[in-house]
Amino acid sequence: MSNIFKYLKSYSTQPNEVDRLIISAFLLKNKITVHKNEFLKAFVIQENQKLEYSKLTNFISIIDKEIEILNIEELIKLFEFVVSPADRIINGAIYTPLNIRDFIIKQSFHSKRGTIANSKIADIACGCGGFLYSSAKQIKKQTNKAYSEIFRKQIFGLNVCARNLSDEIKLSLQNWSVCKSGNPDLYIPFFQIGIENLAENGVLGFITK
């Protein structure tokens, strides 16, 4: 994906603009038309926006050379690019490969077998939502529920985003030893927050070092 990331880096320094480009490319490549989703509509680059649309077609031509199928998993990888360097330093944001996500989810679900249909899944630092996406697929597999119901009633995500913090808060965070870099000590606040928000008899699944 080296050429894709180079293009994204040159396209804009504004996360929302890069988000628009990625979302529009995904929709166009997969021939998806947005009708009623007003949230998604705000991210769609239209043909009459000639300059942006020209850049979109250029981006898609690069994608065609580097990605065989632009599916959800590839989309998650692209969105990880949008995570700013400040986010990576403060919260250790990094793409977690599919096989690792699936292992953690299957292990966590196994201990709650028989109750998955009514369980609530939360990722308190969801980034691009990879764990939530994989969780929804696993719930679908085990319960055969509709995705609309799963996402409405069982999937919850919260995104520790450094670019939304004030400069003053960012400076104070950098004084915390666990926030100076993406080092192994970063698991300490994540474990604390996870345990504090865990339901009684709930299961906490993390990847740590």
Side-chain angles (χ1 to χ4, degrees), residues 34 46 49 69 87 101 112 121 130 134 137 158 170 185 194 208:
V34 181
Q46 305 289 348
Q49 298 170 308
I69 300 175
D87 285 343
R101 296 203 314 264
K112 299 297 290 183
I121 313 300
S134 294
K137 288 200 301 181
L158 179 65
K170 288 179 184 178
D185 292 339
T208 60

Side-chain angles (χ1 to χ4, degrees), residues 143-177:
T143 67
N144 202 32
K145 283 186 174 183
Y147 278 118
S148 58
E149 182 181 2
I150 293 170
F151 279 105
R152 187 172 65 252
K153 297 181 178 179
Q154 295 185 256
I155 300 295
F156 302 88
L158 179 65
N159 190 356
V160 260
C161 190
R163 66 174 173 263
N164 293 332
L165 302 178
S166 68
D167 290 338
E168 183 180 357
I169 292 176
K170 288 179 184 178
L171 287 173
S172 66
L173 283 175
Q174 290 172 358
N175 292 326
W176 299 0
S177 61

Side-chain angles (χ1 to χ4, degrees), residues 22-38:
I22 293 172
I23 291 170
S24 295
F26 178 81
L27 295 174
L28 200 58
K29 279 281 293 175
N30 289 282
K31 299 179 181 178
I32 298 172
T33 304
V34 181
H35 293 289
K36 297 182 179 180
N37 191 317
E38 296 301 324

Side-chain angles (χ1 to χ4, degrees), residues 30-59:
N30 289 282
K31 299 179 181 178
I32 298 172
T33 304
V34 181
H35 293 289
K36 297 182 179 180
N37 191 317
E38 296 301 324
F39 177 79
L40 274 183
K41 280 184 179 179
F43 286 89
V44 176
I45 297 173
Q46 305 289 348
E47 285 190 63
N48 59 5
Q49 298 170 308
K50 296 191 181 299
L51 179 59
E52 285 184 282
Y53 198 82
S54 174
K55 292 181 178 179
L56 171 61
T57 55
N58 289 338
F59 181 51

Side-chain angles (χ1 to χ4, degrees), residues 124 184-198 204-209:
I124 57 172
D185 292 339
L186 194 60
Y187 76 85
I188 296 173
F190 278 98
F191 264 76
Q192 180 181 339
I193 295 169
I195 291 170
E196 286 176 350
N197 289 276
L198 196 63
L204 182 64
F206 271 159
I207 177 171
T208 60
K209 186 176 178 182

Side-chain angles (χ1 to χ4, degrees), residues 49-199:
Q49 298 170 308
K50 296 191 181 299
L51 179 59
E52 285 184 282
Y53 198 82
S54 174
K55 292 181 178 179
L56 171 61
T57 55
N58 289 338
F59 181 51
I60 289 176
S61 68
I62 295 172
I63 290 175
D64 288 338
K65 294 175 183 177
E66 298 200 355
I67 300 177
E68 185 175 353
I69 300 175
L70 185 56
N71 55 26
I72 293 291
E73 193 60 34
E74 297 297 337
L75 183 66
I76 292 170
K77 292 179 185 177
L78 291 180
F79 274 130
E80 287 295 337
F81 173 85
V82 188
V83 177
S84 71
D87 285 343
R88 297 181 192 279
I89 291 172
I90 290 176
N91 62 26
I94 191 170
Y95 171 76
T96 305
L98 177 61
N99 62 324
I100 296 177
R101 296 203 314 264
D102 283 348
F103 175 79
I104 293 173
I105 290 166
K106 286 177 182 177
Q107 292 296 311
S108 299
F109 279 28
H110 180 72
S111 62
K112 299 297 290 183
R113 59 188 180 280
T115 64
I116 291 301
N118 299 311
S119 294
K120 289 181 171 61
I121 313 300
D123 187 345
I124 57 172
C126 65
C128 297
F131 274 98
L132 297 177
Y133 169 64
S134 294
S135 295
K137 288 200 301 181
Q138 191 65 24
I139 294 173
K140 172 73 172 177
K141 182 179 179 180
Q142 293 189 20
T143 67
N144 202 32
K145 283 186 174 183
Y147 278 118
S148 58
E149 182 181 2
I150 293 170
F151 279 105
R152 187 172 65 252
K153 297 181 178 179
Q154 295 185 256
I155 300 295
F156 302 88
L158 179 65
N159 190 356
V160 260
C161 190
R163 66 174 173 263
N164 293 332
L165 302 178
S166 68
D167 290 338
E168 183 180 357
I169 292 176
K170 288 179 184 178
L171 287 173
S172 66
L173 283 175
Q174 290 172 358
N175 292 326
W176 299 0
S177 61
V178 295
C179 295
K180 286 183 178 177
S181 67
N183 61 43
D185 292 339
L186 194 60
Y187 76 85
I188 296 173
F190 278 98
F191 264 76
Q192 180 181 339
I193 295 169
I195 291 170
E196 286 176 350
N197 289 276
L198 196 63

